Structure formats: structure tokens, C-alpha cells
Amino acid sequence: MKKAQRVMARSPARRVVGTLGVTALFCSGLALTSAGAHADSGSQVQLYGLIGTYVGSLKRSDTPQSTVLMGSGGLTTSFWGIGGKEDLGGGVSAIFALESFFQPQNGAQGRSATEPFWSRNAYVGFKGDFGQLTLGRQRNPTYTAESLVNPFGSSVVFSPLVVQTFVTSYGGTIIGDTVWNYTARYTTPDFKGFGATVIYGLGGVAGSPGIGNLGVHLNYQGHGLTAVLSGQRVRYTAAGPVGAQYAYLAGAAYDFKVVTLYGAWAMTSKHRTAASAETRVRPRQR
């Protein structure tokens, strides 16, 4: 029997094609909200969203010439949504959100042609003193955690941390999307700045209840400090037997009023049930 092989990659630059320069950048954004319809004092529906574009000159290290382009979002991917809540009494409300990405530079729906209409969020759930429980297609909390501990937020264009982990065209190391399907998500109420989120993606395979995706996330925000600690497991069957990728993130940011310092560390580890190899990749941002 062959022994398992372990491959270590310490430099993300070997796996990820980096952006060498942006010579011109113009960002514009328009956030819109509407109070919507109020059936009574305990019910409400809102129409909301954000529109953003950028123009820049981009040169990748694997191309001989730069490209002048207009892109969607830049700092935040453009989207619109409808959300609402219904007061059920006893401090409990029923909530829902339907949100869709779109591309203002060409009017296309979604981030790509293969995405569903409600691509950003599509969930229903309950909210109260116990926290929040929602079911449906929902944002990956690992992606949310990354946006808190790097200076470019959730940008899939300018954030080195997000680009190296989630953007496929730049060799993203984390399997899966910034949004998960078929999920149940629970978020605790805030306790003196501390919070936690657990998310589970149902596998949908008969006789295999453990095939789903799982994420556990902790965070703290207070006194100028933001800190996150996240771990997730994603099942995949792209080739061969079912495998699992484990991804971990630890990061912090501190606001000194005149300057904010950011730091983050991430690691991924793949395991295959009937395979002979384990691979670990550690992208870092400081």
C-alpha cells in the first residue's frame, strides 16, 4: 500500500496570477433603499440594492499587454433585492430576502450567464431574542469574515485575500462559491461584541446525511477591534470518489482612528475518501 503523499505550498504567488498594476481607476456607487409597503405596524417589505462600476487599466502577469475595461462593482458587486419581515408576536419575526446580482456595464443578470436569478440570497426564516435561523441560498460566512479583515472589504477585484481564495480565474484556493445552496444557517444574538454563526448545506443524497457542507464561524467587534475565526468543510465530487476540503481563516483589524491595521491567515486542506494524497495550501495576507 502506498503511503499518503503530502504537498506543501507556502507561497500563494505560485498558484495565483496577480494583478501587476491598475493605472486608472474610477469608482462610482449608488445605494438605494425604499421603505416599501407597510401592511401594519408589524409588517414591512423593502426594495434595496447597490449599483457600482469601475474603469481601469489591468495587466495580469500571464498576458503581454494591459487591457482597459469597465467592470461591475469593483469594491462591492452590484445587486438589488426585496426583503421583509412579519411580526409574529413574543419578540419573534418571520423574515425573507430575495437578492440578485447584475452587471450595470452591460445590463446582464447575475455575475455570469450560469447563475440563478436570485443569485445573492434567497432565504426565509425567523428572528428574535434567540438569534436568527434562515433556510435557503445564503452568503458563505467565510466570505463575510474575509471582508471584515482586509482593507478592500468583499471586493472580488481588488482584495488580495478574496482573490486568492474565491476567484477561480486567479487560482482561488477555496472550493465553492461565496454563496451556498440548500443551507440552514443559525446566527447567535450579539453578546458584548461576540457572535457566532453555524451553517449547514444539505447534501441531497439518499442515505448520506453527512455529505453536506458545514461552516462554523466566530467573530468579535468592539473597542476598535474586529477579529474573526472561521472553519468550513466543503464536499466535492469533481473527479473520482467524494472528497472534502477544509478551509480555515483567522484575522483581525484594529482601528487607531488615523489608520487601521489589517492581518489575516488562511489555509486549505483536501482529503479524499479513497485516495492516496492530501494537499494543503496556505495563502497569507499581512
Side-chain angles (χ1 to χ4, degrees):
M1 180 180 296
K2 294 183 178 180
K3 294 184 178 180
Q5 297 178 345
R6 180 170 295 178
V7 180
M8 303 293 291
R10 297 184 178 275
S11 174
R14 297 178 181 177
R15 301 189 72 258
V16 180
V17 179
T19 300
L20 295 185
V22 178
T23 59
L25 174 64
F26 303 93
C27 291
S28 64
L30 172 64
L32 60 95
T33 60
S34 173
H38 292 258
D40 54 54
S41 60
S43 304
Q44 70 177 44
V45 176
Q46 287 186 319
L47 173 66
Y48 55 91
L50 183 145
I51 304 173
T53 61
Y54 70 94
V55 176
S57 177
L58 173 69
K59 185 182 184 304
R60 293 170 50 126
S61 59
D62 61 348
T63 57
Q65 296 181 340
S66 61
T67 302
V68 178
L69 54 82
M70 176 181 291
S72 172
L75 294 179
T76 303
T77 306
S78 299
F79 74 96
W80 72 278
I82 303 171
K85 70 175 184 178
E86 173 74 23
D87 187 1
L88 302 179
V92 179
S93 297
I95 59 174
F96 79 91
L98 298 171
E99 300 173 355
S100 178
F101 289 117
F102 67 95
Q103 303 171 50
Q105 75 274 22
N106 57 21
Q109 179 265 325
R111 295 167 296 179
S112 67
T114 60
E115 285 201 321
F117 185 81
W118 301 115
S119 49
R120 190 174 191 264
N121 274 306
Y123 63 77
V124 64
F126 301 95
K127 184 176 183 180
D129 294 338
F130 59 87
Q132 180 171 301
L133 175 65
T134 48
L135 307 171
R137 177 178 168 89
Q138 303 182 74
R139 195 183 204 195
N140 183 348
T142 297
Y143 176 56
T144 300
E146 287 190 353
S147 71
L148 297 175
V149 292
N150 84 88
F152 295 96
S154 60
S155 174
V156 295
V157 178
F158 304 114
S159 168
L161 181 61
V162 175
V163 167
Q164 291 179 24
T165 51
F166 279 107
V167 181
T168 304
S169 60
Y170 282 85
T173 57
I174 291 181
I175 292 176
D177 195 6
T178 59
V179 188
W180 283 7
N181 290 324
Y182 313 114
T183 61
R185 172 173 170 166
Y186 171 70
T187 300
T188 66
D190 179 83
F191 180 73
K192 296 183 178 180
F194 290 93
T197 297
V198 178
I199 186 169
Y200 183 75
L202 303 178
V205 177
S208 301
I211 201 173
N213 301 329
L214 175 67
V216 178
H217 310 270
L218 306 175
N219 64 84
Y220 172 80
Q221 289 183 293
H223 306 288
L225 174 66
T226 297
V228 299
L229 182 63
S230 295
Q232 70 172 46
R233 180 200 68 194
V234 174
R235 299 289 194 187
Y236 63 92
T237 56
V242 173
Q245 183 197 64
Y246 295 83
Y248 309 97
L249 169 72
Y254 191 83
D255 184 2
F256 288 95
K257 304 302 182 183
V258 294
V259 64
T260 301
L261 297 182
Y262 298 85
W265 169 90
M267 184 186 84
T268 61
S269 177
K270 293 181 182 179
H271 302 269
R272 288 181 292 179
T273 56
S276 59
E278 175 188 284
T279 303
R280 294 186 178 182
V281 180
R282 291 187 175 95
R284 292 187 180 92
Q285 178 184 346
R286 295 181 179 177

CSV table of all heavy atoms in Angstrom, one decimal, residues 102-161:
chain,number,residue,atom,x,y,z
A,102,PHE,N,-26.3,41.7,-10.6
A,102,PHE,CA,-26.4,42.1,-12.0
A,102,PHE,C,-25.2,42.9,-12.4
A,102,PHE,O,-24.4,43.3,-11.6
A,102,PHE,CB,-27.7,42.9,-12.3
A,102,PHE,CG,-27.7,44.3,-11.6
A,102,PHE,CD1,-27.3,45.4,-12.3
A,102,PHE,CD2,-28.1,44.4,-10.3
A,102,PHE,CE1,-27.3,46.7,-11.6
A,102,PHE,CE2,-28.1,45.6,-9.6
A,102,PHE,CZ,-27.7,46.8,-10.3
A,103,GLN,N,-25.0,43.1,-13.7
A,103,GLN,CA,-23.8,43.8,-14.3
A,103,GLN,C,-24.2,45.1,-14.9
A,103,GLN,O,-24.7,45.1,-16.1
A,103,GLN,CB,-23.1,42.9,-15.3
A,103,GLN,CG,-22.7,41.6,-14.7
A,103,GLN,CD,-22.2,40.6,-15.7
A,103,GLN,OE1,-21.3,40.9,-16.5
A,103,GLN,NE2,-22.7,39.4,-15.7
A,104,PRO,N,-24.1,46.3,-14.3
A,104,PRO,CA,-24.5,47.5,-14.9
A,104,PRO,C,-23.8,47.9,-16.1
A,104,PRO,O,-24.4,48.7,-16.9
A,104,PRO,CB,-24.3,48.5,-13.7
A,104,PRO,CG,-23.2,47.9,-12.9
A,104,PRO,CD,-23.4,46.5,-13.0
A,105,GLN,N,-22.6,47.4,-16.4
A,105,GLN,CA,-21.9,47.8,-17.6
A,105,GLN,C,-22.5,47.3,-18.9
A,105,GLN,O,-22.3,47.8,-19.9
A,105,GLN,CB,-20.4,47.5,-17.5
A,105,GLN,CG,-20.1,46.0,-17.7
A,105,GLN,CD,-20.2,45.2,-16.4
A,105,GLN,OE1,-20.9,45.5,-15.5
A,105,GLN,NE2,-19.5,44.0,-16.4
A,106,ASN,N,-23.2,46.2,-18.8
A,106,ASN,CA,-23.8,45.6,-20.0
A,106,ASN,C,-25.3,45.2,-19.7
A,106,ASN,O,-25.9,44.7,-20.7
A,106,ASN,CB,-23.0,44.4,-20.5
A,106,ASN,CG,-22.9,43.3,-19.5
A,106,ASN,OD1,-23.6,43.2,-18.5
A,106,ASN,ND2,-21.9,42.5,-19.7
A,107,GLY,N,-25.8,45.4,-18.5
A,107,GLY,CA,-27.2,45.0,-18.2
A,107,GLY,C,-27.5,43.6,-18.0
A,107,GLY,O,-28.6,43.2,-17.8
A,108,ALA,N,-26.4,42.7,-18.0
A,108,ALA,CA,-26.6,41.3,-17.8
A,108,ALA,C,-27.0,40.9,-16.4
A,108,ALA,O,-26.6,41.6,-15.4
A,108,ALA,CB,-25.4,40.5,-18.2
A,109,GLN,N,-27.8,39.9,-16.2
A,109,GLN,CA,-28.3,39.4,-14.9
A,109,GLN,C,-27.2,38.5,-14.4
A,109,GLN,O,-26.6,37.7,-15.1
A,109,GLN,CB,-29.6,38.7,-15.0
A,109,GLN,CG,-30.1,38.1,-13.8
A,109,GLN,CD,-29.8,36.7,-13.6
A,109,GLN,OE1,-29.7,35.9,-14.5
A,109,GLN,NE2,-29.5,36.3,-12.3
A,110,GLY,N,-27.0,38.5,-13.0
A,110,GLY,CA,-26.0,37.7,-12.4
A,110,GLY,C,-24.6,38.1,-12.6
A,110,GLY,O,-24.3,39.0,-13.4
A,111,ARG,N,-23.7,37.4,-11.9
A,111,ARG,CA,-22.2,37.6,-12.1
A,111,ARG,C,-21.8,36.9,-13.4
A,111,ARG,O,-20.7,37.2,-14.0
A,111,ARG,CB,-21.5,37.1,-10.9
A,111,ARG,CG,-21.7,37.9,-9.7
A,111,ARG,CD,-21.2,37.2,-8.4
A,111,ARG,NE,-21.8,35.9,-8.2
A,111,ARG,CZ,-21.5,35.0,-7.2
A,111,ARG,NH1,-20.5,35.3,-6.4
A,111,ARG,NH2,-22.2,33.9,-7.1
A,112,SER,N,-22.5,35.8,-13.8
A,112,SER,CA,-22.2,35.1,-15.0
A,112,SER,C,-23.5,34.6,-15.6
A,112,SER,O,-24.6,34.6,-14.9
A,112,SER,CB,-21.2,33.9,-14.7
A,112,SER,OG,-21.9,33.0,-13.9
A,113,ALA,N,-23.4,34.0,-16.8
A,113,ALA,CA,-24.6,33.5,-17.5
A,113,ALA,C,-25.2,32.3,-16.9
A,113,ALA,O,-26.4,31.9,-17.1
A,113,ALA,CB,-24.3,33.3,-19.0
A,114,THR,N,-24.4,31.6,-16.0
A,114,THR,CA,-24.9,30.3,-15.4
A,114,THR,C,-25.6,30.5,-14.1
A,114,THR,O,-26.1,29.5,-13.5
A,114,THR,CB,-23.7,29.4,-15.3
A,114,THR,OG1,-22.7,30.0,-14.4
A,114,THR,CG2,-23.0,29.1,-16.6
A,115,GLU,N,-25.6,31.7,-13.6
A,115,GLU,CA,-26.2,31.9,-12.2
A,115,GLU,C,-27.7,31.9,-12.2
A,115,GLU,O,-28.3,32.3,-13.2
A,115,GLU,CB,-25.7,33.2,-11.6
A,115,GLU,CG,-24.2,33.1,-11.2
A,115,GLU,CD,-23.9,34.2,-10.2
A,115,GLU,OE1,-24.4,35.3,-10.3
A,115,GLU,OE2,-23.2,33.9,-9.2
A,116,PRO,N,-28.3,31.4,-11.1
A,116,PRO,CA,-29.8,31.6,-11.0
A,116,PRO,C,-30.2,33.0,-10.8
A,116,PRO,O,-29.3,33.9,-10.6
A,116,PRO,CB,-30.1,30.8,-9.7
A,116,PRO,CG,-28.8,30.9,-8.9
A,116,PRO,CD,-27.7,30.9,-9.9
A,117,PHE,N,-31.5,33.3,-11.0
A,117,PHE,CA,-31.9,34.7,-10.9
A,117,PHE,C,-31.7,35.3,-9.6
A,117,PHE,O,-31.1,36.4,-9.4
A,117,PHE,CB,-33.4,34.8,-11.3
A,117,PHE,CG,-33.9,36.2,-11.4
A,117,PHE,CD1,-33.7,36.9,-12.5
A,117,PHE,CD2,-34.6,36.8,-10.3
A,117,PHE,CE1,-34.2,38.2,-12.6
A,117,PHE,CE2,-35.0,38.1,-10.3
A,117,PHE,CZ,-34.8,38.8,-11.5
A,118,TRP,N,-32.1,34.6,-8.5
A,118,TRP,CA,-31.8,35.1,-7.1
A,118,TRP,C,-30.5,34.5,-6.7
A,118,TRP,O,-30.4,33.6,-6.0
A,118,TRP,CB,-32.9,34.6,-6.2
A,118,TRP,CG,-34.3,35.1,-6.6
A,118,TRP,CD1,-35.4,34.4,-6.9
A,118,TRP,CD2,-34.7,36.5,-6.6
A,118,TRP,NE1,-36.4,35.2,-7.2
A,118,TRP,CE2,-36.1,36.5,-7.0
A,118,TRP,CE3,-34.1,37.7,-6.4
A,118,TRP,CZ2,-36.8,37.7,-7.2
A,118,TRP,CZ3,-34.8,38.9,-6.5
A,118,TRP,CH2,-36.2,38.9,-6.9
A,119,SER,N,-29.4,35.2,-7.2
A,119,SER,CA,-28.1,34.6,-7.1
A,119,SER,C,-27.4,35.0,-5.8
A,119,SER,O,-26.5,34.3,-5.3
A,119,SER,CB,-27.2,35.0,-8.3
A,119,SER,OG,-27.3,36.4,-8.5
A,120,ARG,N,-27.7,36.1,-5.2
A,120,ARG,CA,-27.0,36.6,-4.0
A,120,ARG,C,-27.6,36.0,-2.7
A,120,ARG,O,-26.8,35.6,-1.8
A,120,ARG,CB,-27.1,38.1,-3.9
A,120,ARG,CG,-26.2,38.8,-2.9
A,120,ARG,CD,-26.2,40.3,-3.0
A,120,ARG,NE,-25.2,40.9,-2.2
A,120,ARG,CZ,-25.4,41.4,-1.0
A,120,ARG,NH1,-26.6,41.3,-0.4
A,120,ARG,NH2,-24.4,42.0,-0.3
A,121,ASN,N,-28.9,36.0,-2.5
A,121,ASN,CA,-29.5,35.4,-1.4
A,121,ASN,C,-31.0,35.1,-1.8
A,121,ASN,O,-31.6,35.8,-2.6
A,121,ASN,CB,-29.6,36.4,-0.2
A,121,ASN,CG,-28.3,36.4,0.7
A,121,ASN,OD1,-27.9,35.3,1.2
A,121,ASN,ND2,-27.7,37.5,0.9
A,122,ALA,N,-31.5,34.0,-1.2
A,122,ALA,CA,-32.9,33.6,-1.4
A,122,ALA,C,-33.2,32.7,-0.2
A,122,ALA,O,-33.0,31.5,-0.2
A,122,ALA,CB,-33.1,32.8,-2.7
A,123,TYR,N,-33.7,33.4,0.9
A,123,TYR,CA,-34.0,32.6,2.1
A,123,TYR,C,-35.2,33.1,2.8
A,123,TYR,O,-35.7,34.2,2.6
A,123,TYR,CB,-32.8,32.7,3.0
A,123,TYR,CG,-32.4,34.1,3.6
A,123,TYR,CD1,-33.2,34.7,4.6
A,123,TYR,CD2,-31.3,34.8,3.1
A,123,TYR,CE1,-32.8,35.9,5.1
A,123,TYR,CE2,-31.0,36.0,3.5
A,123,TYR,CZ,-31.8,36.6,4.6
A,123,TYR,OH,-31.5,37.8,5.0
A,124,VAL,N,-35.7,32.3,3.7
A,124,VAL,CA,-36.8,32.6,4.6
A,124,VAL,C,-36.4,32.1,6.0
A,124,VAL,O,-35.7,31.1,6.1
A,124,VAL,CB,-38.1,32.0,4.1
A,124,VAL,CG1,-38.0,30.4,4.1
A,124,VAL,CG2,-39.3,32.4,4.9
A,125,GLY,N,-36.9,32.7,7.1
A,125,GLY,CA,-36.5,32.3,8.4
A,125,GLY,C,-37.2,33.0,9.5
A,125,GLY,O,-38.2,33.7,9.3
A,126,PHE,N,-36.6,32.9,10.7
A,126,PHE,CA,-37.2,33.6,11.9
A,126,PHE,C,-36.1,34.3,12.6
A,126,PHE,O,-34.9,33.9,12.6
A,126,PHE,CB,-37.8,32.5,12.8
A,126,PHE,CG,-38.9,31.7,12.2
A,126,PHE,CD1,-38.6,30.5,11.6
A,126,PHE,CD2,-40.2,32.2,12.2
A,126,PHE,CE1,-39.6,29.7,11.0
A,126,PHE,CE2,-41.2,31.5,11.6
A,126,PHE,CZ,-40.9,30.2,11.0
A,127,LYS,N,-36.5,35.4,13.3
A,127,LYS,CA,-35.5,36.3,14.0
A,127,LYS,C,-36.1,36.7,15.3
A,127,LYS,O,-37.3,37.0,15.4
A,127,LYS,CB,-35.1,37.5,13.2
A,127,LYS,CG,-34.1,38.4,13.8
A,127,LYS,CD,-33.7,39.5,12.9
A,127,LYS,CE,-32.6,40.4,13.5
A,127,LYS,NZ,-32.2,41.5,12.6
A,128,GLY,N,-35.3,36.6,16.4
A,128,GLY,CA,-35.8,37.0,17.7
A,128,GLY,C,-34.7,37.1,18.7
A,128,GLY,O,-33.5,37.2,18.4
A,129,ASP,N,-35.1,37.1,20.0
A,129,ASP,CA,-34.1,37.2,21.1
A,129,ASP,C,-33.1,36.0,21.0
A,129,ASP,O,-32.0,36.0,21.6
A,129,ASP,CB,-34.7,37.3,22.4
A,129,ASP,CG,-35.5,38.6,22.6
A,129,ASP,OD1,-35.2,39.5,21.9
A,129,ASP,OD2,-36.4,38.6,23.4
A,130,PHE,N,-33.6,34.9,20.4
A,130,PHE,CA,-32.8,33.7,20.4
A,130,PHE,C,-31.7,33.7,19.3
A,130,PHE,O,-30.8,32.9,19.2
A,130,PHE,CB,-33.7,32.5,20.0
A,130,PHE,CG,-34.4,32.6,18.8
A,130,PHE,CD1,-33.9,32.2,17.5
A,130,PHE,CD2,-35.7,33.2,18.8
A,130,PHE,CE1,-34.6,32.4,16.4
A,130,PHE,CE2,-36.4,33.3,17.6
A,130,PHE,CZ,-35.8,32.9,16.4
A,131,GLY,N,-31.8,34.8,18.4
A,131,GLY,CA,-30.9,34.9,17.3
A,131,GLY,C,-31.6,34.9,16.0
A,131,GLY,O,-32.8,35.3,15.9
A,132,GLN,N,-31.0,34.3,14.9
A,132,GLN,CA,-31.7,34.2,13.6
A,132,GLN,C,-31.4,32.9,13.0
A,132,GLN,O,-30.3,32.4,12.9
A,132,GLN,CB,-31.1,35.3,12.7
A,132,GLN,CG,-31.7,35.4,11.3
A,132,GLN,CD,-31.3,36.6,10.6
A,132,GLN,OE1,-31.5,37.8,11.0
A,132,GLN,NE2,-30.6,36.4,9.4
A,133,LEU,N,-32.5,32.3,12.5
A,133,LEU,CA,-32.4,31.0,11.8
A,133,LEU,C,-33.0,31.2,10.4
A,133,LEU,O,-34.2,31.6,10.3
A,133,LEU,CB,-33.2,29.9,12.5
A,133,LEU,CG,-33.3,28.6,11.9
A,133,LEU,CD1,-32.0,27.9,11.7
A,133,LEU,CD2,-34.3,27.7,12.6
A,134,THR,N,-32.3,30.9,9.3
A,134,THR,CA,-32.7,31.0,8.0
A,134,THR,C,-32.4,29.8,7.1
A,134,THR,O,-31.5,29.1,7.4
A,134,THR,CB,-32.1,32.3,7.3
A,134,THR,OG1,-30.7,32.2,7.6
A,134,THR,CG2,-32.6,33.6,7.9
A,135,LEU,N,-33.3,29.6,6.1
A,135,LEU,CA,-33.2,28.4,5.2
A,135,LEU,C,-33.2,28.9,3.8
A,135,LEU,O,-34.0,29.7,3.4
A,135,LEU,CB,-34.3,27.5,5.5
A,135,LEU,CG,-34.6,27.0,6.9
A,135,LEU,CD1,-35.9,26.2,7.0
A,135,LEU,CD2,-33.4,26.2,7.4
A,136,GLY,N,-32.3,28.3,2.9
A,136,GLY,CA,-32.3,28.7,1.5
A,136,GLY,C,-30.9,28.8,1.0
A,136,GLY,O,-29.9,28.2,1.4
A,137,ARG,N,-30.8,29.7,-0.1
A,137,ARG,CA,-29.5,30.0,-0.7
A,137,ARG,C,-28.9,31.2,0.1
A,137,ARG,O,-29.6,32.3,0.1
A,137,ARG,CB,-29.6,30.3,-2.2
A,137,ARG,CG,-28.4,30.8,-2.9
A,137,ARG,CD,-28.6,31.0,-4.4
A,137,ARG,NE,-27.5,31.7,-5.0
A,137,ARG,CZ,-26.5,31.1,-5.6
A,137,ARG,NH1,-26.4,29.8,-5.6
A,137,ARG,NH2,-25.5,31.8,-6.2
A,138,GLN,N,-27.7,31.1,0.6
A,138,GLN,CA,-27.2,32.2,1.5
A,138,GLN,C,-25.7,32.4,1.4
A,138,GLN,O,-25.0,31.5,0.9
A,138,GLN,CB,-27.5,31.8,3.0
A,138,GLN,CG,-29.0,31.5,3.2
A,138,GLN,CD,-29.3,31.2,4.7
A,138,GLN,OE1,-29.3,32.1,5.5
A,138,GLN,NE2,-29.6,29.9,5.0
A,139,ARG,N,-25.3,33.6,1.7
A,139,ARG,CA,-23.9,34.0,1.6
A,139,ARG,C,-23.1,33.1,2.5
A,139,ARG,O,-23.4,32.9,3.7
A,139,ARG,CB,-23.8,35.5,2.1
A,139,ARG,CG,-22.5,36.1,1.7
A,139,ARG,CD,-22.4,37.5,2.2
A,139,ARG,NE,-21.5,38.4,1.4
A,139,ARG,CZ,-21.1,39.5,1.8
A,139,ARG,NH1,-21.5,40.0,3.0
A,139,ARG,NH2,-20.2,40.2,1.1
A,140,ASN,N,-21.9,32.8,2.0
A,140,ASN,CA,-21.0,32.0,2.8
A,140,ASN,C,-20.3,32.8,3.9
A,140,ASN,O,-19.7,33.8,3.6
A,140,ASN,CB,-19.9,31.4,1.8
A,140,ASN,CG,-18.9,30.5,2.5
A,140,ASN,OD1,-18.8,30.4,3.7
A,140,ASN,ND2,-18.1,29.9,1.7
A,141,PRO,N,-20.5,32.5,5.2
A,141,PRO,CA,-19.9,33.3,6.2
A,141,PRO,C,-18.4,33.4,6.2
A,141,PRO,O,-17.8,34.4,6.7
A,141,PRO,CB,-20.3,32.5,7.5
A,141,PRO,CG,-21.6,31.8,7.1
A,141,PRO,CD,-21.3,31.4,5.7
A,142,THR,N,-17.7,32.5,5.6
A,142,THR,CA,-16.2,32.6,5.4
A,142,THR,C,-15.9,33.9,4.6
A,142,THR,O,-15.0,34.7,4.8
A,142,THR,CB,-15.6,31.4,4.7
A,142,THR,OG1,-15.8,30.3,5.6
A,142,THR,CG2,-14.1,31.6,4.5
A,143,TYR,N,-16.7,34.1,3.5
A,143,TYR,CA,-16.5,35.3,2.6
A,143,TYR,C,-16.8,36.5,3.4
A,143,TYR,O,-16.1,37.5,3.3
A,143,TYR,CB,-17.5,35.1,1.4
A,143,TYR,CG,-17.5,36.3,0.5
A,143,TYR,CD1,-16.3,36.8,-0.1
A,143,TYR,CD2,-18.7,36.9,0.2
A,143,TYR,CE1,-16.3,37.9,-1.0
A,143,TYR,CE2,-18.7,38.0,-0.7
A,143,TYR,CZ,-17.6,38.5,-1.3
A,143,TYR,OH,-17.6,39.5,-2.1
A,144,THR,N,-17.9,36.5,4.2
A,144,THR,CA,-18.2,37.7,5.1
A,144,THR,C,-17.1,38.0,6.1
A,144,THR,O,-16.7,39.1,6.3
A,144,THR,CB,-19.5,37.4,5.9
A,144,THR,OG1,-20.6,37.2,4.9
A,144,THR,CG2,-19.9,38.6,6.7
A,145,ALA,N,-16.5,36.9,6.7
A,145,ALA,CA,-15.4,37.1,7.6
A,145,ALA,C,-14.2,37.7,6.9
A,145,ALA,O,-13.5,38.6,7.5
A,145,ALA,CB,-15.0,35.8,8.2
A,146,GLU,N,-13.9,37.3,5.7
A,146,GLU,CA,-12.8,37.8,5.0
A,146,GLU,C,-13.0,39.3,4.7
A,146,GLU,O,-12.0,40.1,4.7
A,146,GLU,CB,-12.6,37.1,3.6
A,146,GLU,CG,-12.0,35.7,3.8
A,146,GLU,CD,-11.6,35.1,2.4
A,146,GLU,OE1,-11.9,35.7,1.4
A,146,GLU,OE2,-11.0,34.1,2.4
A,147,SER,N,-14.2,39.7,4.4
A,147,SER,CA,-14.5,41.1,4.1
A,147,SER,C,-14.2,42.0,5.3
A,147,SER,O,-14.0,43.3,5.2
A,147,SER,CB,-15.9,41.3,3.6
A,147,SER,OG,-16.8,41.1,4.7
A,148,LEU,N,-14.2,41.5,6.5
A,148,LEU,CA,-14.0,42.3,7.7
A,148,LEU,C,-12.6,42.5,8.1
A,148,LEU,O,-12.3,43.4,8.9
A,148,LEU,CB,-14.7,41.6,8.9
A,148,LEU,CG,-16.2,41.4,8.8
A,148,LEU,CD1,-16.8,40.6,10.0
A,148,LEU,CD2,-16.9,42.8,8.8
A,149,VAL,N,-11.7,41.7,7.5
A,149,VAL,CA,-10.3,41.7,8.0
A,149,VAL,C,-9.3,42.0,6.8
A,149,VAL,O,-8.1,41.6,6.9
A,149,VAL,CB,-9.9,40.4,8.7
A,149,VAL,CG1,-10.6,40.3,10.0
A,149,VAL,CG2,-10.1,39.2,7.8
A,150,ASN,N,-9.8,42.7,5.8
A,150,ASN,CA,-8.9,43.2,4.8
A,150,ASN,C,-9.4,44.6,4.3
A,150,ASN,O,-10.6,44.9,4.4
A,150,ASN,CB,-8.7,42.2,3.6
A,150,ASN,CG,-9.8,42.4,2.6
A,150,ASN,OD1,-9.7,43.2,1.7
A,150,ASN,ND2,-10.9,41.6,2.8
A,151,PRO,N,-8.5,45.5,3.9
A,151,PRO,CA,-8.9,46.9,3.6
A,151,PRO,C,-9.8,47.1,2.4
A,151,PRO,O,-10.3,48.1,2.3
A,151,PRO,CB,-7.5,47.6,3.4
A,151,PRO,CG,-6.6,46.5,3.0
A,151,PRO,CD,-7.0,45.3,3.8
A,152,PHE,N,-9.9,46.0,1.6
A,152,PHE,CA,-10.7,46.1,0.4
A,152,PHE,C,-12.1,45.5,0.6
A,152,PHE,O,-12.8,45.2,-0.4
A,152,PHE,CB,-10.0,45.6,-0.8
A,152,PHE,CG,-8.8,46.3,-1.2
A,152,PHE,CD1,-7.5,45.9,-0.7
A,152,PHE,CD2,-8.8,47.5,-2.0
A,152,PHE,CE1,-6.4,46.6,-1.1
A,152,PHE,CE2,-7.7,48.2,-2.3
A,152,PHE,CZ,-6.5,47.8,-1.8
A,153,GLY,N,-12.4,45.1,1.8
A,153,GLY,CA,-13.7,44.5,2.1
A,153,GLY,C,-14.0,43.3,1.3
A,153,GLY,O,-13.2,42.4,1.2
A,154,SER,N,-15.2,43.2,0.7
A,154,SER,CA,-15.7,42.0,0.0
A,154,SER,C,-15.3,42.0,-1.5
A,154,SER,O,-15.8,41.2,-2.3
A,154,SER,CB,-17.2,41.8,0.1
A,154,SER,OG,-17.9,42.9,-0.4
A,155,SER,N,-14.4,42.9,-1.9
A,155,SER,CA,-14.1,43.1,-3.4
A,155,SER,C,-13.5,41.9,-3.9
A,155,SER,O,-12.5,41.4,-3.4
A,155,SER,CB,-13.2,44.3,-3.6
A,155,SER,OG,-12.8,44.4,-4.9
A,156,VAL,N,-14.1,41.4,-5.0
A,156,VAL,CA,-13.5,40.2,-5.8
A,156,VAL,C,-12.6,40.7,-6.9
A,156,VAL,O,-12.1,39.9,-7.7
A,156,VAL,CB,-14.6,39.3,-6.4
A,156,VAL,CG1,-15.4,38.7,-5.3
A,156,VAL,CG2,-15.5,40.1,-7.3
A,157,VAL,N,-12.3,42.0,-6.9
A,157,VAL,CA,-11.4,42.6,-7.9
A,157,VAL,C,-10.1,43.1,-7.3
A,157,VAL,O,-9.0,42.8,-7.8
A,157,VAL,CB,-12.1,43.8,-8.6
A,157,VAL,CG1,-11.2,44.5,-9.6
A,157,VAL,CG2,-13.4,43.4,-9.3
A,158,PHE,N,-10.2,43.8,-6.1
A,158,PHE,CA,-9.0,44.4,-5.6
A,158,PHE,C,-8.5,43.8,-4.3
A,158,PHE,O,-7.4,44.1,-3.8
A,158,PHE,CB,-9.3,45.9,-5.3
A,158,PHE,CG,-9.8,46.7,-6.5
A,158,PHE,CD1,-11.1,47.2,-6.6
A,158,PHE,CD2,-9.0,46.8,-7.6
A,158,PHE,CE1,-11.5,47.8,-7.7
A,158,PHE,CE2,-9.4,47.5,-8.7
A,158,PHE,CZ,-10.7,48.0,-8.8
A,159,SER,N,-9.3,43.0,-3.6
A,159,SER,CA,-8.8,42.4,-2.4
A,159,SER,C,-7.9,41.2,-2.6
A,159,SER,O,-8.4,40.2,-3.1
A,159,SER,CB,-10.0,41.9,-1.5
A,159,SER,OG,-9.6,41.1,-0.4
A,160,PRO,N,-6.6,41.2,-2.2
A,160,PRO,CA,-5.7,40.1,-2.4
A,160,PRO,C,-6.2,38.8,-1.7
A,160,PRO,O,-6.2,37.7,-2.2
A,160,PRO,CB,-4.4,40.5,-1.9
A,160,PRO,CG,-4.4,42.0,-1.9
A,160,PRO,CD,-5.9,42.4,-1.7
A,161,LEU,N,-6.8,39.0,-0.5
A,161,LEU,CA,-7.3,37.8,0.3
A,161,LEU,C,-8.4,37.2,-0.4
A,161,LEU,O,-8.5,35.9,-0.6
A,161,LEU,CB,-7.7,38.3,1.7
A,161,LEU,CG,-8.2,37.2,2.6
A,161,LEU,CD1,-7.1,36.2,2.9
A,161,LEU,CD2,-8.6,37.8,4.0
